[in-house]
Amino acid sequence: MDYLSMVSEVCDSGERYISSAQNFIQAEIYCAKCEIYCRYLQNNREKAMVYREHFKEYNDRVFKLAVKILDSAIDNADSKLAEAALKTIETMKNTYPDFYKSYYLQLFGRMDDV
């Protein structure tokens, strides 16, 4: 084997080693980013679940109160009170789309935060 072919083979071998090392480093970086993102999602999930439970508790209390008021209005034939109770229920129903938007935003966060 002549000197030039040995040098060429050593250079090729070194380049393959460097490329392999760079691939390994990129794989490690990717794994670390994945682990960080999983922890990020887990933390968001816990916060979002607390947020959902608070919303649900509050909404249930308001709904039960509105139903009691509606029942009372029906028993007493008070149309204005019944209308107010129905508006309260309608308003609560209309809050759900905004709630779920904020819930999922809190659950998944913004992609540029990662």
Side-chain angles (χ1 to χ4, degrees):
M1 202 179 217
D2 65 344
Y3 178 72
L4 289 176
S5 64
M6 284 191 320
V7 169
S8 177
E9 188 176 321
V10 168
C11 287
D12 288 343
S13 177
E15 288 175 6
R16 283 193 305 271
Y17 179 77
I18 289 171
S19 178
S20 182
Q22 288 173 339
N23 288 341
F24 178 76
I25 290 169
Q26 290 301 317
E28 288 294 317
I29 290 170
Y30 180 76
C31 288
K33 284 182 178 182
C34 287
E35 187 174 336
I36 290 168
Y37 188 62
C38 286
R39 287 182 186 172
Y40 172 79
L41 288 177
Q42 181 63 31
N43 289 339
N44 285 359
R45 181 178 180 269
E46 291 168 4
K47 287 190 281 186
M49 295 306 282
V50 169
Y51 176 65
R52 184 176 148 266
E53 288 303 314
H54 286 298
F55 176 81
K56 187 177 179 210
E57 286 175 16
Y58 176 76
N59 219 29
D60 287 348
R61 278 188 268 148
V62 172
F63 182 75
K64 287 177 184 177
L65 183 59
V67 169
K68 282 183 182 180
I69 292 170
L70 183 60
D71 287 341
S72 176
I74 291 170
D75 291 342
N76 296 321
D78 188 345
S79 64
K80 290 194 185 258
L81 188 58
E83 187 178 326
L86 288 174
K87 281 185 181 179
T88 302
I89 293 169
E90 182 67 25
T91 301
M92 289 174 54
K93 185 181 98 173
N94 292 337
T95 63
Y96 275 94
D98 289 335
F99 162 73
Y100 279 107
K101 284 180 190 174
S102 63
Y103 171 76
Y104 285 117
L105 180 65
Q106 188 164 14
L107 183 62
F108 295 111
R110 296 184 188 274
M111 293 310 288
D112 56 339
D113 289 346
V114 177

